[in-house]
Amino acid sequence: EYLFMTRIHGHDLHQQWLTLSHSQKSKVISQLRSYMINMRSVKPPGKIKIGSFSGGPVDCCRLLEFDEVGPFVDEDHLNRHLRGPLEGPSISPAVLSSQQIQHELCATHNDLFPRNIMVDDQLNIVAIVDWKSAGWFPVYWEY
């Protein structure tokens, strides 16, 4: 494993978000939207599992774990993990129905919060940091 660090000149968006005007927030959102469209257009190479970019396990607290978990063979395997021990009548028919839909996989940051978005004094995004949870996930995952 490697850790690459460089100094980013800027501030995390979390420190500033509540003080920004509507137009300032719109500026940041517009940039972020462009970055996300670009990133989500990257499709996995060949048949890869749901997990890290290398196809292995991923560190993701939203997967109900605090350690690495996965990889998941497919979306059904991921959904079974998310349901945990729940099966049969204890699961809402709406949940089961929605989990029958198969989604494309795309590149996902998986921890995209204001604390991980760095902006300069003019509110230009200069970096998105903390990629340890990134990987290949269904297109809905980051929402």
Side-chain angles (χ1 to χ4, degrees):
E1 291 186 34
Y2 295 93
L3 176 62
F4 178 77
M5 294 179 61
T6 187
R7 176 131 169 86
I8 303 292
H9 295 283
H11 311 279
D12 71 71
L13 188 57
H14 182 257
Q15 294 175 352
Q16 297 179 288
W17 187 254
L18 294 177
T19 64
L20 298 180
S21 69
H22 180 73
S23 64
Q24 289 172 314
K25 288 178 179 180
S26 291
K27 176 181 179 177
V28 173
I29 290 168
S30 177
Q31 294 172 72
L32 191 57
R33 183 183 193 298
S34 176
Y35 289 133
M36 292 301 99
I37 288 171
N38 191 18
M39 183 176 73
R40 294 170 63 77
S41 71
V42 177
K43 302 300 178 200
K47 181 73 174 141
I48 197 156
K49 298 174 181 167
I50 298 171
S52 70
F53 282 132
S54 66
V58 66
D59 181 359
C60 177
C61 65
R62 291 188 318 179
L63 287 170
L64 312 176
E65 300 286 337
F66 294 99
D67 293 317
E68 288 186 334
V69 65
F72 300 96
V73 176
D74 55 25
E75 199 167 347
D76 186 51
H77 184 202
L78 170 66
N79 290 335
R80 285 194 315 268
H81 175 81
L82 291 171
R83 288 192 307 261
L86 298 178
E87 287 299 330
S90 61
I91 302 174
S92 158
V95 169
L96 288 174
S97 175
S98 71
Q99 289 187 346
Q100 297 304 312
I101 302 167
Q102 297 297 301
H103 301 85
E104 281 188 70
L105 299 183
C106 67
T108 304
H109 182 273
N110 203 14
D111 194 14
L112 193 60
F113 292 98
R115 68 178 179 266
N116 291 329
I117 301 168
M118 305 294 292
V119 295
D120 64 16
D121 292 336
Q122 289 75 45
L123 298 175
N124 295 308
I125 296 175
V126 294
I128 297 175
V129 299
D130 192 6
W131 290 81
K132 72 177 180 183
S133 298
W136 305 111
F137 286 87
V139 294
Y140 67 82
W141 193 255
E142 199 107 64
Y143 294 120

